[in-house]
Amino acid sequence: MKRMSKKTLLLAGAGHAHIGLLRRLSADRSKNNASNALIDTDIHLISEQPHTLYSGMLPGWMAGHYQLDEISIDTKSLCLRAGVRFIQQSIINITAASNTVETSGNERFDYDVLSLNTGADTDLRGLSQAYDDMSNDTRDDMSNDVIAIRPLSTFTLQWQQILADARQSEQYRLAVVGAGAAATELVMAAQVALQKINNNHQVTLVCGENLLSGFVPSFRQRVIKQLHRHSITIIEARATAYRDGKLSTSNDSFPVDAVIAATGVRGAAWTVSTDLETVDNGFVAVNSQQQSVSHPNVFAVGDVATRVDQYVAHSGVHAVHGGAIEAGNILAYLQSKMLTEYQPKTHTLYLLSCGDKYAIGSWGSVSLQGRWVWYLKRQIDKRFVTSCAA
Ligand SMILES: Cc1cc2nc3c(=O)[nH]c(=O)nc-3n(C[C@H](O)[C@H](O)[C@H](O)COP(=O)(O)OP(=O)(O)OC[C@H]3O[C@@H](n4cnc5c(N)ncnc54)[C@H](O)[C@@H]3O)c2cc1C
């Protein structure tokens, strides 16, 4: 009897969804319970780094509550346990018409089914109104000056440099630009860390007029009170440029030693040259089954993708829950079975850390705060990271 040739499932990026899929494959493997869909399938995962940093614990690391290895997931070992080949490379293009992924190592990888979970880039456009018209060299200059929160691995090195500079300074001034939950967590973690070095150091949040606009008013008020408790300066103007040690806003300009941008996400750089259908400046357009609207053998989930049928926020929560559905759909697709829709829950639990082992929680219209909320967050976060090592 003629044996069918093996299929290739390529996992691009090691974001939340693929970590979840690897855990599932690893658990199935240890129970000798591999899905029939995968018996004749080779699985490869391409990611830039052998470790994935867990963003939910990053502010806790900045504030000194965790070591870097406590917030890192060893993707390479997880792949080994899951029976997945790990390839450490950066994806620079995807040509869906020929089913190929191109990497910075000048290699091409063919696939039968592709799953994208590469996250997104920090949106720096607001920091220079002319960002899209700039040459790549000028953009590089600007991104050397402004410290983007993504990729997290680069950010962790830059944060350590900030701490080193602050130790040499009498009065270090840091600005965090952004208006979302991540920006408020970062600014409080930064203030706690810098003031541990010297009380004269000061962090400023530059947030425009819409601080935490997606959250209920009670949660927003709680966060603003915590920002005041930490004596963080809040500037409700838009940051427009950072040049020669001065941060300009729509109202003013002032000197700072460093600027961190936590300004939301834009489509990943590699999407510029792909033939996959994208929306909103480079997010891979997917349907309710997390399947590319232009190429059915391509699935995408998390920050890299945008749902075309309904609004789903780019967040870790949807990367995890959407990822679980997407993983099932990949297996179903390989067996020509029916796909399932990802239906996001109306409310999700959000736990926001306030720098000093204190946190605020929100669930729908309910919000609460306290040290116990921080310990709850720590327990949930640690359980997630340690379960990836089991
Ligand atoms: C400080 C901070 C705190 C946050 N806290 C929360 C929170 O509490 N709750 C919440 O829901 N959301 C939170 N978020 C948002 C959350 O981090 C993102 O929405 C989430 O990480 C998106 O997950 P993802 O799986 O799409 O991709 P990511 O987590 O971004 O992972 C992408 C992966 O792909 C790899 N990769 C990227 N590009 C390439 C490439 N070209 N080639 C190969 N590999 C590549 C990366 O190295 C990484 O491993 C926070 C964000 C920040 C910055």
Side-chain angles (χ1 to χ4, degrees), residues 12-17 46-49 51-53 55-56 58-59 89-92 117-120 149-150 152 182 185-186 270 301-304 314-319 350-351 377:
H16 291 63
I46 305 179
S47 196
E48 297 165 327
Q49 303 287 342
H51 290 90
T52 298
L53 291 168
S55 59
L58 186 83
Q89 293 213 22
S90 190
I91 290 157
I92 54 166
N117 185 212
T118 53
I149 187 67
R150 294 186 177 283
L152 299 185
E185 280 194 285
L186 290 173
W270 64 259
V301 70
D303 286 3
V304 72
H314 290 119
S315 80
V317 170
H318 293 306
Y350 205 99
L351 299 173
K377 175 169 167 52

Side-chain angles (χ1 to χ4, degrees), residues 86-257:
F86 177 79
I87 301 159
Q88 186 178 348
Q89 293 213 22
S90 190
I91 290 157
I92 54 166
N93 191 24
I94 290 169
T95 307
S98 56
N99 293 342
T100 41
V101 169
E102 207 180 310
T103 66
S104 52
N106 244 343
E107 284 190 63
R108 282 168 195 278
F109 296 89
D110 296 332
Y111 61 83
D112 295 291
V113 178
L114 173 67
S115 173
L116 294 166
N117 185 212
T118 53
D121 291 347
T122 306
D123 189 355
L124 293 172
R125 284 169 296 175
L127 267 163
S128 172
Q129 278 130 9
Y131 189 84
D132 276 332
D133 302 328
M134 285 180 184
S135 69
N136 281 342
D137 286 353
T138 320
R139 283 188 193 185
D140 285 348
D141 277 358
M142 196 179 80
S143 44
N144 283 339
D145 288 343
V146 175
I147 297 172
I149 187 67
R150 294 186 177 283
L152 299 185
S153 52
T154 309
F155 175 77
T156 54
L157 300 175
Q158 291 167 315
W159 173 248
Q160 290 174 60
Q161 186 58 50
I162 288 177
L163 292 181
D165 293 345
R167 284 189 197 100
Q168 304 299 318
S169 166
E170 290 296 310
Q171 192 183 27
Y172 193 85
R173 299 147 309 177
L174 172 71
V176 174
V177 181
T184 59
E185 280 194 285
L186 290 173
V187 80
M188 287 189 269
Q191 178 81 333
V192 165
L194 291 181
Q195 294 221 328
K196 261 188 225 165
I197 297 173
N198 184 333
N199 265 333
N200 290 330
H201 295 346
Q202 179 60 38
V203 189
T204 299
L205 177 65
V206 182
C207 59
E209 294 88 31
N210 299 316
L211 180 61
L212 297 173
S213 59
F215 289 88
V216 293
S218 63
F219 180 78
R220 192 172 170 269
Q221 286 314 319
R222 285 179 195 272
V223 179
I224 292 171
K225 272 194 181 159
Q226 293 303 313
L227 294 169
H228 290 315
R229 177 171 70 83
H230 285 293
S231 304
I232 288 164
T233 313
I234 304 174
I235 297 184
E236 291 188 32
R238 293 191 67 79
T240 51
Y242 179 50
R243 295 254 182 293
D244 305 325
K246 276 199 166 174
L247 181 64
S248 304
T249 72
S250 39
N251 291 341
D252 205 355
S253 81
F254 56 95
V256 280
D257 297 295

